[in-house]
Amino acid sequence: MSDSVRTKYIFVTGGVVSALGKGIAASSMAFLMQRRGLRVQCIKLDPYLNVDPGTMNPFQHGEVFVLDDGSETDLDLGHYERFLDQSLTAGNNVTTGQIYHTIISRERKGDYLGATVQVIPHVTEEIKNRIKALTRLDGTTDLIVAEIGGTVGDIESLPFLEAIRQIGLEEGPANVVFVHVTLVPYIPTAGEFKTKPTQHSVKALREIGIQPNVLLCRCSTAISESLRQKIGLFCSVPTRSVVAAPDVTTIYEVPLNFHNQHLDDIIANQFGWDIPSPELSDWEGMVDKIKNPRKRLKIGICGKYVNLKDAYKSIIEAFVHGGVHSHAEVALVWVSSEDIKKGGAERFIHDLDGLLIPGGFGERGVEGKIEAIRYVRENNIPFLGICLGMQCAVIEYARNVCGLKDAHSFEFYRDMKHAVIHLMADQEGVSDLGGTMRLGAYPAVLKEGTKSLEAYGEDEITERHRHRYEVNNAYREMLEEHGLVFSGVSPDDRLVEMVEVPGHPWFVAVQFHPELKSRPTRPHPLFREFVRAAVDYSDRKKNPASSNVGEEEDMTTSA
Ligand code: GLN
């Protein structure tokens, strides 16, 4: 579109219950419009008072998604980045905490001298400014898709709803589409879908002054035309704009479903846009591979939050992306590190095709993780360690290969003799816990002849970080002498970013979070190669004669 095009807005609200997949709905619409040639920005407006989710427990909030610029954001930004194949910045996630922080600092400086500072107009103006700031982010933005967190009816989200109502009024219907994501539950005892929750939710929205233009009806299976008609009639929405959003096998199917129901045309028509149809064949091919895998792998994830899948959202997605590349489905097996500590690693890991230890904080479960790592290292099972996962791998190596029996991390035991993982120098004296870790994108250089370099295919990379502790350089020489390879280090060689164990089919561990940069059409190299190694491992298990683990094993087999 030309630079003179005025920025338009899609506002996405949710009704009835949370967890309907507003983020995926917003990403899917943004994706379809991007594929129709538009420059699109997504923004998530979170009504909580935290400045960012960085200090929240994953049990409360799910994963913290870290951006290149170091901002700690809502996990929906992960969906936006993955669907749009775009790297976002701090301005793409706004919280009530940030809004009030700005307004109260301004008030203290005297910027509002004489005025009573109020939710309307001061808070709503600040919200509107934050949304509109995105129009200037990368030159011109044709479309902003703004998702309001929470559910209509929440006290916290009222200022956001008021702000988008005002934008709707100021910009007019040719420039603003209101999309409401709602639930149409199926009641098995009645054998019927029920529309009443949607009617109530739309009523609540209209009381605030917002008439939705599109309803996305979350339902277990597709709903009939007559039901859509009925919903439309009660909610004053044309039937064709009542779009069914049934449960799907993979989230990447959602935009295809929307497109089949002409949702992108409905949006384009309201905006008066005459734009080409989207090219979706690559996306359809990807969805087809996800739905029809040729192989099935079992990869274990050994972490603390095994009962909360949202805590590992990006890892789960990165495995989907890696799986597409090998045309394999990765079934994730959640292994509790505490169970391993009690019952031993063999019992939980022996039949897996690979093991991943994700990032984490706190000592609980660490000994189980270390035991799990020993098992996969000694039994040639593919392994990927991320952040705390790498730190545990180094501790394991120091203990069981270098013989430092009490090796540990300074994070957990301050008086350990061998703190092979210690506090980073620039973290000393840091007392505030919000936003003070080593956060965001940092470069690393990779070593010749390593699996890491082979995976990336380039010797300079940047990856996203979120940690306070690092490999203690005082132990590097010893670890290296015992065979551990530091396959990636910071350009000044002060920080270890990647380690690997040579001779093992795939034992790579990294201080950063590769999962945050994996995209469906561009799987992250480490996930791609880890899954490939797991496929090889699984094939070898089934057909041991085809073994080609490495030179040593080749020699044994041929001898
Ligand atoms: N707790 C560890 C640290 O701060 C690891 C952090 C993580 O896994 N993201 O260094």
Side-chain angles (χ1 to χ4, degrees), residues 359-361 386-388 391 411 466-469 511 513:
F361 297 83
I386 293 179
C387 207
L388 180 63
Q391 297 174 356
E411 179 177 4
R466 184 172 189 250
H467 63 121
R468 290 186 204 283
Y469 297 85
Q511 185 55 74
H513 289 272

